[in-house]
Amino acid sequence: MKIVGVVACTVGIAHTYMGQEAIEVEAQKRGYDYKVETQGGMGIDNELFDEEIEAADYVIMATSIGIEMPERFDQKKEDGKVFHMDPSVVIKNASAVFDDIEATLNINK
């Protein structure tokens, strides 16, 4: 399984990077390939490229603000493979977020 994510919070500091860490830790626990882009106070870090987005099974969009270059995710949105939430949701319980996504995609563990 390959996932990509984008995390961006209002201030672009704490929750952005806490959300990134929560996604990465949970993805690693589940043995998934992953890459998480942050759009924080320092700008875009760990930028996702079109090829990485296309190859992903799903996208976690943990954002509380608009992001730069949202059109990169248009096809995944059309395919129903983008899961939106506030960064606080993934920070509080990344495991439940992944469980919900897997249930939606009918992934057997």
Side-chain angles (χ1 to χ4, degrees), residues 4-8 16 20 24 35-39 44-49 53 67-69 72-73:
V4 295
V6 178
V7 185
T16 297
Q20 174 191 19
E24 291 175 345
K35 183 175 178 183
V36 181
E37 172 180 297
T38 56
Q39 294 193 17
I44 295 175
D45 191 27
N46 209 30
E47 184 176 341
L48 292 167
F49 298 103
I53 296 166
I67 63 166
E68 293 185 42
M69 302 178 291
R72 298 176 292 163
F73 303 95

Side-chain angles (χ1 to χ4, degrees), residues 2-107:
K2 175 151 182 75
I3 65 159
V4 295
V6 178
V7 185
C9 70
T10 308
V11 178
I13 303 173
H15 282 103
T16 297
Y17 301 102
M18 291 167 62
Q20 174 191 19
E21 182 179 9
I23 292 168
E24 291 175 345
V25 167
E26 190 62 30
Q28 191 171 37
K29 279 185 196 176
R30 293 175 189 242
Y32 291 174
D33 290 331
Y34 62 89
K35 183 175 178 183
V36 181
E37 172 180 297
T38 56
Q39 294 193 17
M42 303 291 287
I44 295 175
D45 191 27
N46 209 30
E47 184 176 341
L48 292 167
F49 298 103
D50 291 339
E51 302 80 29
E52 294 168 316
I53 296 166
E54 289 171 20
D57 294 300
Y58 63 90
V59 178
I60 295 175
M61 192 73 61
T63 59
S64 56
I65 59 170
I67 63 166
E68 293 185 42
M69 302 178 291
E71 67 280 355
R72 298 176 292 163
F73 303 95
D74 287 348
Q75 186 60 53
K76 289 293 182 190
K77 285 180 189 174
E78 287 178 27
D79 295 342
K81 302 287 175 107
V82 177
F83 299 87
H84 290 273
M85 70 213 60
D86 190 82
S88 63
V89 173
V90 78
I91 291 167
K92 290 177 186 172
N93 198 346
S95 180
V97 169
F98 278 67
D99 288 346
D100 289 347
I101 292 168
E102 289 172 354
T104 300
L105 298 176
N106 294 315
I107 296 170

